[in-house]
Amino acid sequence: MNEIKVFVPATVSNVSCGFDIMGFPVSAPGDVMVFRRTEEPVVTITEVRGAEGIPLDARRNVAGVVTRAMLEERGMPFGVEIALEKGIRPGSGIGSSGASAAGAAWAVNQLLGEAYGDEQLVEFAMLGEQSISGALHADNVAPALMGGFILISRYDPLTLVRLHYPADLWCAVFHPFVEIKTKDAREILRKELSLREAVKQWGNVAGLVAGLQREDYTLIARSMEDVVAEPVRSLLIPGYEEIKQNALEAGALGCSISGSGPAVFALCRGEENARQVREAMEQAYRHRQVEWRSYASPIAAEGVKILS
Ligand code: HSE
């Protein structure tokens, strides 16, 4: 195989209470990435379309960082040219850097004849995330690579768990165009929690996992509460409380920040409710002079997809 074109979906990470440990892909938006094998053992970014400010220097580009790490581990058997078409805006909170990292890990693995398994690919993809956010987190790259609702139950050793979820679990996403860099959104987090807060958070995580497994919508709804990131990060999102309130009033199971924001997501029961919730979230921005996009999508069972 000399050339491969892939679609990489956006992802919702954290999923309210699961800071750094849970995520799932949505069906849209996503990035399209083309990888071409070259004889000269060099990694080059030939083109970035659809977004500004993404470096063409492979050492500073998330996809470049992952590709280089994978090829270097194999002794640079060949080089790769990468062309990116960003459908996911950087700084959106729906896994823009995660998509570049996951797409690179998946596609380069194909060019290498599937030399690596899922866990190794997630480890490589995390290097891309680290290069931009300073932190090794897998809650965007693991679901983007693997599809479905993924739990990272441990980082050391990396332990990935595919969670069961109800077939009619949908998600509405509202993305106001205010850029928030994950690195900044991590720096403002409190570094310590009280025991009372920790008990609340791990109870909610356990409740959400059990609710998904048992298809218990009441338990899912009750567990979608985050005392770690949301109280601080929501202050960076204009109109956050109104977006959330509108989503809940329209019947969402729960609503919180997608990844590090500014996108806001809501879990919903079924497509119709997801569309109603999406519209309700949009209402919160009717009078604001800020552009936005919104989406309604099932939890995507598939991650990276081969286009050609
Ligand atoms: N878990 C990460 C964070 C996701 O919240 O910082 C970033 O997309």
Side-chain angles (χ1 to χ4, degrees):
M1 182 184 286
N2 284 322
E3 187 171 314
I4 183 167
K5 186 175 183 183
V6 294
F7 171 84
V8 197
T11 43
V12 169
S13 56
N14 295 340
V15 198
S16 80
C17 52
F19 179 72
D20 272 1
I21 63 160
M22 276 195 264
F24 58 81
V26 287
S27 49
D31 290 355
V32 175
M33 306 172 79
V34 180
F35 297 78
R36 200 166 65 80
R37 185 176 158 140
T38 60
E39 263 176 42
E40 199 193 349
V42 180
V43 175
T44 323
I45 313 293
T46 54
E47 190 184 9
V48 180
R49 285 196 290 155
E52 279 165 22
I54 294 185
L56 284 170
D57 175 356
R59 287 168 199 268
R60 295 194 303 119
N61 178 291
V62 170
V65 168
V66 175
T67 305
R68 284 169 50 93
M70 291 175 75
L71 293 179
E72 276 170 10
E73 179 149 308
R74 299 263 138 180
M76 291 300 288
F78 50 81
V80 173
E81 284 179 358
I82 308 169
L84 301 174
E85 196 181 322
K86 297 292 298 174
I88 314 169
R89 272 172 93 101
S92 57
I94 45 174
S96 179
S97 58
S100 297
W106 196 88
V108 173
N109 194 40
Q110 296 298 308
L111 297 180
L112 285 168
E114 300 195 42
Y116 298 107
D118 277 349
E119 270 170 26
Q120 287 167 304
L121 294 185
V122 171
E123 300 264 17
F124 278 119
M126 276 199 288
L127 297 176
E129 291 283 50
Q130 187 184 35
S131 73
I132 193 156
S133 76
L136 281 166
H137 64 91
D139 49 337
N140 292 105
V141 294
L145 275 160
M146 298 163 64
F149 212 126
I150 303 294
L151 165 72
I152 300 111
S153 70
R154 277 187 77 154
Y155 273 89
D156 190 15
L158 184 66
T159 310
L160 304 166
V161 183
R162 187 179 284 286
L163 296 176
H164 172 82
Y165 57 91
D168 63 347
L169 191 63
W170 273 63
C171 171
V173 175
F174 181 76
H175 171 206
F177 286 2
V178 186
E179 189 179 336
I180 296 180
K181 291 193 164 62
T182 298
K183 193 170 193 297
D184 300 335
R186 294 183 79 89
E187 273 164 14
I188 60 169
L189 294 175
R190 287 182 299 148
K191 302 296 175 285
E192 285 176 13
L193 293 180
S194 68
L195 184 58
R196 185 189 288 264
E197 288 166 324
V199 168
K200 203 168 207 187
Q201 195 82 4
W202 61 54
N204 281 332
V205 171
L208 179 54
V209 171
L212 291 167
Q213 299 286 140
R214 288 162 43 176
E215 307 197 359
D216 179 339
Y217 286 101
T218 309
L219 185 56
I220 292 172
R222 246 185 222 171
S223 308
M224 287 188 62
E225 185 196 13
D226 169 29
V227 300
V228 173
E230 187 192 24
V232 191
R233 287 179 170 174
S234 59
L235 305 175
L236 305 177
I237 305 169
Y240 178 76
E241 289 306 330
E242 197 181 337
I243 303 168
K244 180 168 175 165
Q245 195 186 328
N246 286 6
L248 295 175
E249 279 171 10
L253 297 165
C255 175
S256 192
I257 302 169
S258 174
S260 54
V264 179
F265 81 99
L267 285 186
C268 305
R269 185 172 186 168
E271 177 173 358
E272 200 191 324
N273 184 237
R275 296 195 187 284
Q276 289 161 347
V277 168
R278 169 185 170 179
E279 274 171 32
M281 290 163 117
E282 290 169 359
Q283 289 302 321
Y285 262 56
R286 179 135 289 190
H287 304 294
R288 289 184 186 266
Q289 304 305 311
V290 179
E291 267 192 82
W292 49 265
R293 292 275 182 285
S294 67
Y295 310 90
S297 159
I299 311 300
E302 217 180 352
V304 182
K305 267 192 282 225
I306 190 158
L307 295 177
S308 60

